[in-house]
Amino acid sequence: MKVMALKGRDFISLHDWSRDELEEVLSLAQWQKARLKEGIQDEPLKGKQLGMYFAKPSTRTRLSFEVGIQQLGGRGLFLSAEDLQLSRGESIADTARVMSRFLDGIMIRTFAHQDVVELARWATVPVINGLTDEEHPCQVMADLLTIQERFGTLEGIKLAYVGDGNNMAHSLMDGGAKFGMHVTVASPEGYKPDPGRVARAQETAERHGGLVEVLTDPAEAVRGAHVVYTDVWVSMGQEHEAEQRRAAFRGYQVTESLMRLAAPDAIFMHCLPAHRGEEVAAEVIDGPQSAVFDEAENRLHAQKAIMTLIMG
């Protein structure tokens, strides 16, 4: 399969990549996934080394990147916060320059988004954002792949996100806007997505025939949606706000009655981990409309495509 020349690019934010470039990721992910299902395992990254730095715990990010780089013929090195001198005050700049001498790519999953930007500034190999408090672009590429598989298109698809206006909301707005989707975020006052990011996504959506809007009423957001999406109410690092957040998000649980307002063929999505009985009812996430485990698997395929394009 002939692919677009994207070697050396960082993958930090969906906003930084054009629609054509993101379509290339999805197209390659579909092709690689199909070949893997047929028992064909290509190795375009044979001999390549991916450093995987985790300042936050992980299930899907760790598994998908580690398995993915192995399937592509390379090797992944797991690096926790305690493994590197960053924990003892070494600068991000020095760490980036040292890592670049040993590795062909770096994946980082951390708290502050600026740390990823700084790492990419000093690294001479591609940097992949595995998650920050502001964005989760790899997850959204897996989400877009899942939606495309289910509906055959992204253009015109209505996605309703219910809950915290967090990193997931930001990246879903960015990704949906690039593909002409209608993305509606329903969040309580005080927990809406960053206004600057909303305005940026709205401007992008206008150029691509889509729509991005932020509401307060979950029912209004979900009505007629093809995709109903939610995330946890209390993310890592917010444990001290748990009770306050649970009170604020009361009424924002995705229930069977809320799903009935969506389109008849609507699917439910969640980036996981999920707290049944909080942001989603067990009957929904474990029900026939749930696509969460297809979505989780697609982390592998979307990220393999990203690694192939920027490291290969």
Side-chain angles (χ1 to χ4, degrees), residues 269-290:
M269 299 181 74
H270 192 307
C271 55
L272 300 177
H275 298 150
R276 289 162 175 79
E278 284 194 9
E279 75 274 6
V280 61
E283 295 79 11
V284 173
I285 193 169
D286 297 321
Q289 289 176 285
S290 178

Side-chain angles (χ1 to χ4, degrees), residues 300-311:
L300 172 69
H301 307 299
Q303 289 159 194
K304 282 174 65 177
I306 293 165
M307 289 188 285
T308 299
L309 288 167
I310 68 177
M311 291 173 61

Side-chain angles (χ1 to χ4, degrees), residues 8 20 33 77 147 177 182 189-190 226 244 249 273 294:
D20 286 346
K33 181 177 180 178
L77 296 112
I147 295 166
H182 179 166
E189 294 297 338
H226 303 95
Q244 175 186 334
F249 288 105
D294 290 340

